[in-house]
mmCIF file of all heavy atoms in Angstrom:
data_model
loop_
_atom_site.group_PDB
_atom_site.id
_atom_site.type_symbol
_atom_site.label_atom_id
_atom_site.label_comp_id
_atom_site.label_asym_id
_atom_site.label_seq_id
_atom_site.Cartn_x
_atom_site.Cartn_y
_atom_site.Cartn_z
ATOM 1 N N PHE A 95 66.491 28.921 -58.492
ATOM 2 C CA PHE A 95 65.134 28.694 -57.979
ATOM 3 C C PHE A 95 64.542 29.997 -57.464
ATOM 4 O O PHE A 95 63.430 30.385 -57.834
ATOM 5 C CB PHE A 95 65.172 27.633 -56.880
ATOM 6 C CG PHE A 95 63.864 27.423 -56.174
ATOM 7 C CD1 PHE A 95 62.813 26.813 -56.816
ATOM 8 C CD2 PHE A 95 63.692 27.849 -54.869
ATOM 9 C CE1 PHE A 95 61.597 26.614 -56.172
ATOM 10 C CE2 PHE A 95 62.497 27.661 -54.213
ATOM 11 C CZ PHE A 95 61.443 27.049 -54.868
ATOM 12 N N LEU A 96 65.278 30.708 -56.630
ATOM 13 C CA LEU A 96 64.790 31.990 -56.098
ATOM 14 C C LEU A 96 64.637 33.032 -57.201
ATOM 15 O O LEU A 96 63.668 33.801 -57.217
ATOM 16 C CB LEU A 96 65.733 32.493 -55.011
ATOM 17 C CG LEU A 96 65.762 31.671 -53.736
ATOM 18 C CD1 LEU A 96 66.841 32.184 -52.804
ATOM 19 C CD2 LEU A 96 64.415 31.665 -53.064
ATOM 20 N N TYR A 97 65.580 33.056 -58.131
ATOM 21 C CA TYR A 97 65.539 34.005 -59.236
ATOM 22 C C TYR A 97 64.271 33.811 -60.070
ATOM 23 O O TYR A 97 63.582 34.783 -60.402
ATOM 24 C CB TYR A 97 66.783 33.841 -60.104
ATOM 25 C CG TYR A 97 66.772 34.665 -61.357
ATOM 26 C CD1 TYR A 97 67.074 36.021 -61.317
ATOM 27 C CD2 TYR A 97 66.447 34.103 -62.584
ATOM 28 C CE1 TYR A 97 67.062 36.787 -62.467
ATOM 29 C CE2 TYR A 97 66.430 34.851 -63.733
ATOM 30 C CZ TYR A 97 66.743 36.190 -63.664
ATOM 31 O OH TYR A 97 66.719 36.945 -64.806
ATOM 32 N N TYR A 98 63.948 32.567 -60.417
ATOM 33 C CA TYR A 98 62.754 32.290 -61.220
ATOM 34 C C TYR A 98 61.491 32.761 -60.511
ATOM 35 O O TYR A 98 60.588 33.322 -61.132
ATOM 36 C CB TYR A 98 62.630 30.800 -61.532
ATOM 37 C CG TYR A 98 63.661 30.268 -62.493
ATOM 38 C CD1 TYR A 98 64.272 29.039 -62.260
ATOM 39 C CD2 TYR A 98 64.015 30.964 -63.631
ATOM 40 C CE1 TYR A 98 65.215 28.531 -63.139
ATOM 41 C CE2 TYR A 98 64.958 30.467 -64.513
ATOM 42 C CZ TYR A 98 65.549 29.252 -64.264
ATOM 43 O OH TYR A 98 66.481 28.755 -65.127
ATOM 44 N N ILE A 99 61.413 32.531 -59.211
ATOM 45 C CA ILE A 99 60.222 32.933 -58.465
ATOM 46 C C ILE A 99 60.112 34.456 -58.390
ATOM 47 O O ILE A 99 59.054 35.030 -58.662
ATOM 48 C CB ILE A 99 60.220 32.308 -57.057
ATOM 49 C CG1 ILE A 99 60.030 30.801 -57.175
ATOM 50 C CG2 ILE A 99 59.120 32.912 -56.190
ATOM 51 C CD1 ILE A 99 60.175 30.058 -55.875
ATOM 52 N N ILE A 100 61.203 35.117 -58.046
ATOM 53 C CA ILE A 100 61.185 36.581 -57.908
ATOM 54 C C ILE A 100 60.866 37.256 -59.235
ATOM 55 O O ILE A 100 60.027 38.162 -59.303
ATOM 56 C CB ILE A 100 62.515 37.082 -57.319
ATOM 57 C CG1 ILE A 100 62.641 36.628 -55.864
ATOM 58 C CG2 ILE A 100 62.647 38.585 -57.445
ATOM 59 C CD1 ILE A 100 64.011 36.816 -55.269
ATOM 60 N N VAL A 101 61.504 36.823 -60.302
ATOM 61 C CA VAL A 101 61.265 37.436 -61.615
ATOM 62 C C VAL A 101 59.834 37.179 -62.082
ATOM 63 O O VAL A 101 59.179 38.070 -62.622
ATOM 64 C CB VAL A 101 62.299 36.934 -62.650
ATOM 65 C CG1 VAL A 101 61.907 37.321 -64.059
ATOM 66 C CG2 VAL A 101 63.670 37.487 -62.317
ATOM 67 N N GLY A 102 59.320 35.978 -61.858
ATOM 68 C CA GLY A 102 57.948 35.669 -62.263
ATOM 69 C C GLY A 102 56.918 36.517 -61.546
ATOM 70 O O GLY A 102 55.997 37.061 -62.160
ATOM 71 N N ILE A 103 57.075 36.649 -60.236
ATOM 72 C CA ILE A 103 56.127 37.448 -59.453
ATOM 73 C C ILE A 103 56.236 38.929 -59.808
ATOM 74 O O ILE A 103 55.218 39.620 -59.967
ATOM 75 C CB ILE A 103 56.333 37.197 -57.946
ATOM 76 C CG1 ILE A 103 55.883 35.773 -57.603
ATOM 77 C CG2 ILE A 103 55.590 38.228 -57.102
ATOM 78 C CD1 ILE A 103 56.212 35.341 -56.197
ATOM 79 N N ALA A 104 57.452 39.428 -59.949
ATOM 80 C CA ALA A 104 57.639 40.839 -60.302
ATOM 81 C C ALA A 104 57.069 41.144 -61.684
ATOM 82 O O ALA A 104 56.435 42.188 -61.890
ATOM 83 C CB ALA A 104 59.115 41.202 -60.248
ATOM 84 N N THR A 105 57.257 40.226 -62.617
ATOM 85 C CA THR A 105 56.745 40.438 -63.964
ATOM 86 C C THR A 105 55.223 40.448 -63.980
ATOM 87 O O THR A 105 54.604 41.301 -64.618
ATOM 88 C CB THR A 105 57.277 39.346 -64.913
ATOM 89 O OG1 THR A 105 58.707 39.370 -64.880
ATOM 90 C CG2 THR A 105 56.784 39.554 -66.329
ATOM 91 N N ARG A 106 54.610 39.511 -63.254
ATOM 92 C CA ARG A 106 53.142 39.488 -63.194
ATOM 93 C C ARG A 106 52.613 40.766 -62.550
ATOM 94 O O ARG A 106 51.634 41.350 -63.029
ATOM 95 C CB ARG A 106 52.654 38.266 -62.424
ATOM 96 C CG ARG A 106 51.136 38.240 -62.313
ATOM 97 C CD ARG A 106 50.656 37.029 -61.555
ATOM 98 N NE ARG A 106 49.291 37.159 -61.129
ATOM 99 C CZ ARG A 106 48.238 36.712 -61.797
ATOM 100 N NH1 ARG A 106 48.411 36.074 -62.928
ATOM 101 N NH2 ARG A 106 47.029 36.884 -61.328
ATOM 102 N N ALA A 107 53.234 41.207 -61.471
ATOM 103 C CA ALA A 107 52.790 42.432 -60.802
ATOM 104 C C ALA A 107 52.900 43.630 -61.737
ATOM 105 O O ALA A 107 51.990 44.468 -61.791
ATOM 106 C CB ALA A 107 53.601 42.657 -59.531
ATOM 107 N N LEU A 108 53.985 43.713 -62.489
ATOM 108 C CA LEU A 108 54.172 44.822 -63.423
ATOM 109 C C LEU A 108 53.126 44.783 -64.535
ATOM 110 O O LEU A 108 52.535 45.810 -64.880
ATOM 111 C CB LEU A 108 55.578 44.775 -64.023
ATOM 112 C CG LEU A 108 55.894 45.837 -65.064
ATOM 113 C CD1 LEU A 108 55.892 47.220 -64.425
ATOM 114 C CD2 LEU A 108 57.221 45.552 -65.729
#
Side-chain angles (χ1 to χ4, degrees):
F95 174 71
L96 292 174
Y97 174 79
Y98 290 138
I99 292 173
I100 292 168
V101 168
I103 291 172
T105 303
R106 178 180 164 94
L108 177 66

